[in-house]
């Protein structure tokens, strides 16, 4: 069923474009002191906070009643010892939104505190793949709209994604309206479709996975590749750009296999990417073959692992996962 989200789409595209520009500006002048370490030992940068503030500000102005499930919060920035980083965040936000001051910037960031329990909300990862961002590799600004626990709109801003027309692209999708690509500085979108490319011989299949071994069981991924007859080395990249890579046929399978039994994926890590691939004709499920279930708040409580494919061989991949003995229950 087609969803009418044209206003939301335009607001989202503009917000993600502004956030991408600020992220690239931060990255070009990044210094070590611009990065903090969160309780889970993952990094967060000035750009993460600035990106979230910019996107949340845009949504607050255009759609003030909409709630946002975001990854970041301003608590750390409010600590006196982080005054320098807080000031840097405000300055970068001000480059996109001249009216920004400290109070409004921190308030925009904290608009991302929703719990995902309502029938309509946005989910935002202001920089998905912060380690990729720090390395100057792949990362994404990932924004999605959920209505009645279903993703209906997704936008992936991919500043370092290389396409036929240069570096930098936005992939976006609306439920029932397909997936579209805006390349580099282009003003027009082009459709993205994967199923029309047909089946692919195992010798030509490539799968992608996270750079970080802690994010996915890479040893088991190699076993699954062998069971499928895949000989090409994996394409390793950070962030939901992996969904885009499958949609654009840079890879054919994206595997994110659980590394521990109690781990659950966060909704902002998959909402935008999943609809981008699905609307392009691909298939997304968990490691058991179940659809991703966004009905449980900030986490995918009912799912374990992620399998995303160009659609044709999805069932074969699930069978190989079972044959490899992956416990996806």
């Amino acid at each position: 069923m087609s969803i009418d989200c044209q206003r939301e789409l335009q607001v989202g595209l503009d917000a993600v474009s502004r956030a991408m520009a600020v992220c690239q500006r931060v990255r070009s002048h990044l210094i070590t002191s611009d990065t903090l370490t969160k309780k889970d030992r993952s990094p967060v940068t000035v750009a993460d906070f600035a990106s979230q503030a910019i996107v949340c500000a845009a949504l607050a102005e255009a759609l003030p009643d909409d709630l946002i499930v975001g990854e970041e919060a301003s608590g750390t920035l409010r600590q006196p010892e982080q005054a320098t980083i807080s000031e840097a965040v405000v300055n970068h936000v001000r480059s996109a939104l001249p009216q920004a001051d400290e109070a409004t910037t921190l308030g925009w960031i904290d608009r991302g505190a929703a719990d995902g329990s309502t029938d309509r909300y946005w989910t935002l990862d202001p920089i998905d793949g912060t380690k990729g961002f720090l390395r100057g590799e792949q990362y994404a600004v990932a924004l999605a709209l959920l209505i009645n626990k279903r993703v209906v709109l997704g936008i992936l801003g991919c500043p370092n994604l290389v396409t036929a027309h240069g570096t930098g692209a936005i992939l976006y999708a609306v439920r029932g309206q397909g997936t579209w690509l805006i390349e580099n500085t282009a003003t027009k979108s082009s459709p993205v479709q994967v199923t029309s490319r047909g089946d692919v011989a195992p010798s030509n299949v490539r799968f992608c996975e996270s750079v970080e071994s802690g994010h996915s069981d890479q040893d088991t991924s190699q076993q699954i590749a062998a069971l499928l007859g895949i000989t090409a080395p994996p394409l390793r990249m950070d962030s939901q750009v992996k969904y885009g890579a499958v949609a654009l046929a840079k890879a054919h399978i994206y595997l994110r296999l659980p590394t521990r039994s109690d781990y659950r994926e966060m909704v902002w890590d998959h909402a935008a990417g999943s609809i981008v691939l699905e609307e392009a004709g691909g298939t997304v499920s968990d490691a058991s073959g179940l659809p991703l279930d966004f009905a449980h708040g900030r986490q995918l409580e009912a799912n374990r692992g992620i399998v995303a494919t160009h659609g044709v061989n999805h069932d074969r991949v699930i069978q190989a996962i079972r044959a490899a003995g992956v416990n996806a229950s």
Side-chain angles (χ1 to χ4, degrees):
M1 180 178 67
S2 180
I3 304 292
D4 184 11
C5 293
Q6 292 309 303
R7 181 164 182 258
E8 289 90 343
L9 174 62
Q10 195 53 56
V11 171
L13 286 172
D14 181 64
V16 169
S17 295
R18 290 189 183 193
M20 288 169 63
V22 168
C23 288
Q24 290 295 79
R25 187 178 303 117
V26 173
R27 182 64 186 81
S28 66
H29 299 94
L30 193 69
I31 57 177
T32 303
S33 60
D34 286 338
T35 304
L36 302 172
T37 301
K38 294 191 283 190
K39 290 181 179 179
D40 63 0
R41 292 185 291 182
S42 63
V44 58
T45 70
V46 165
D48 292 79
F49 292 118
S51 176
Q52 179 151 322
I54 288 166
V55 174
C56 288
L59 295 178
E61 179 178 3
L63 302 160
D65 294 331
D66 282 7
L67 300 179
I68 305 163
V69 176
E71 181 173 14
E72 307 305 340
S74 73
T76 301
L77 297 178
R78 296 177 187 273
Q79 298 172 6
E81 62 269 26
Q82 303 302 341
T84 300
I85 285 187
S86 181
E87 181 181 5
V89 171
V90 173
N91 288 336
H92 283 293
V93 172
R94 192 177 289 132
S95 70
L97 303 171
Q99 73 275 26
D101 58 22
E102 182 178 36
T104 55
T105 296
L106 298 181
W108 286 330
I109 292 171
D110 286 338
R111 284 186 65 86
D115 62 8
S117 62
T118 55
D119 290 337
R120 175 185 168 111
Y121 66 90
W122 296 80
T123 182
L124 169 65
D125 195 331
I127 293 186
D128 184 26
T130 301
K131 290 185 179 179
F133 169 80
L134 291 169
R135 291 193 300 268
E137 297 175 0
Q138 296 300 332
Y139 70 96
V141 179
L143 179 66
L145 174 63
L146 290 89
I147 298 177
N148 295 327
K149 313 302 182 184
R150 189 183 188 207
V151 185
V152 299
L153 181 158
I155 302 170
L156 287 180
C158 310
N160 293 333
L161 180 63
V162 177
T163 69
H165 294 88
T167 301
I170 296 176
L171 287 151
Y172 67 89
V174 176
R175 185 69 64 188
Q177 298 180 29
T179 295
W180 299 81
L181 172 69
I182 304 174
E183 298 181 77
N184 201 9
T185 57
T187 57
K188 293 184 178 181
S189 305
S190 56
V192 177
Q193 182 60 241
V194 298
T195 54
S196 61
R197 292 165 185 157
D199 204 349
V200 180
S203 59
N204 294 324
V205 169
R206 193 173 193 188
F207 73 89
C208 61
E209 62 183 2
S210 300
V211 173
E212 302 295 324
S213 59
H215 291 172
S216 183
D217 186 343
Q218 295 180 348
D219 290 339
T220 303
S221 292
Q222 291 294 334
Q223 295 177 38
I224 293 165
L227 288 167
L228 293 168
I230 298 172
T231 57
L235 175 63
R236 288 181 175 153
M237 61 174 65
D238 299 277
S239 84
Q240 289 174 76
V241 177
K242 292 186 284 292
Y243 284 105
V246 178
L248 295 171
K250 295 177 179 291
H252 304 91
I253 302 167
Y254 160 31
L255 294 178
R256 186 177 174 101
L257 302 176
T259 56
R260 64 178 200 264
S261 61
D262 63 340
Y263 182 77
R264 296 297 182 269
E265 302 288 343
M266 307 304 296
V267 295
W268 53 71
D269 285 328
H270 300 285
S274 63
I275 190 173
V276 162
L277 180 54
E278 288 172 346
E279 283 295 310
T283 302
V284 181
S285 74
D286 69 7
S288 296
L290 297 174
L292 301 190
D293 183 352
F294 291 92
H296 303 278
R298 295 169 72 89
Q299 292 184 316
L300 295 174
E301 294 285 355
N303 300 114
R304 292 198 65 229
I306 301 291
V307 180
T309 73
H310 63 161
V312 177
N313 294 319
H314 196 87
D315 290 344
R316 289 181 55 210
V317 177
I318 297 298
Q319 291 169 8
I321 289 172
R322 291 170 182 160
V326 174
N327 181 9
S329 60

